[in-house]
Amino acid sequence: MRNCRRNEHARTSKQRADSFERTAMQWLYLAIADIFEIVVAIAAGKAEGFKNRRWTAITLVSGALGTYFLSRALLTFDVGVGYAIWTSIAGVGITVLGVVLFGQRLNWRKTLGIAVIIAGVVGLQLSGAA
């Protein structure tokens, strides 16, 4: 009887560790997908309507890689939730980089929008949906 309980406890601990590892990997895949999505936005802006071959290539390759990593993340996340988090994080990242790298203005409305997006992502996480 004791051995049975010990084995059951060991299996449960291993399952929790495996689940945590899978979840951590899905978040890593989502983060990588976000980085590529941010690169897509910046590169597409510099591609000049796909006339600049170098930036066009960067746009297309980054888009493909971002989609690949998003699809890996969506193996665990619900599609709607995963996509919402992906686009939200990318949107915030693009906005912040626009301010830092390109001198775009960040007014109170944009700041409020970013705060609402972050609150939404945190809410999805806390709800157990992500």
Side-chain angles (χ1 to χ4, degrees):
M1 185 74 162
R2 276 187 162 166
N3 256 353
C4 184
R5 285 186 187 164
R6 215 176 292 151
N7 288 340
E8 188 175 309
H9 177 70
R11 270 196 310 266
T12 305
S13 295
K14 172 110 173 79
Q15 288 170 338
R16 276 191 297 244
D18 288 346
S19 176
F20 175 78
E21 187 176 308
R22 273 194 311 276
T23 301
M25 287 304 298
Q26 303 322 316
W27 279 103
L28 177 62
Y29 291 145
L30 193 62
I32 293 169
D34 273 313
I35 291 167
F36 281 116
E37 182 64 14
I38 292 168
V39 171
V40 166
I42 292 169
K46 293 183 174 279
E48 301 168 4
F50 292 120
K51 293 176 190 164
N52 183 314
R53 289 183 183 178
R54 178 175 167 237
W55 286 106
T56 297
I58 292 170
T59 301
L60 296 175
V61 170
S62 296
L65 289 169
T67 302
Y68 169 77
F69 283 104
L70 175 63
S71 70
R72 294 297 305 258
L74 293 179
L75 292 174
T76 297
F77 292 115
D78 292 341
V79 173
V81 172
Y83 188 77
I85 293 171
W86 178 58
T87 57
S88 298
I89 293 171
V92 170
I94 292 162
T95 303
V96 169
L97 284 177
V99 170
V100 172
L101 298 178
F102 305 116
Q104 296 173 353
R105 307 200 93 200
L106 184 65
N107 59 29
W108 71 270
R109 289 181 185 123
K110 287 182 184 178
T111 303
L112 177 63
I114 289 170
V116 168
I117 290 169
I118 292 169
V121 170
V122 170
L124 285 171
Q125 177 65 24
L126 292 175
S127 75

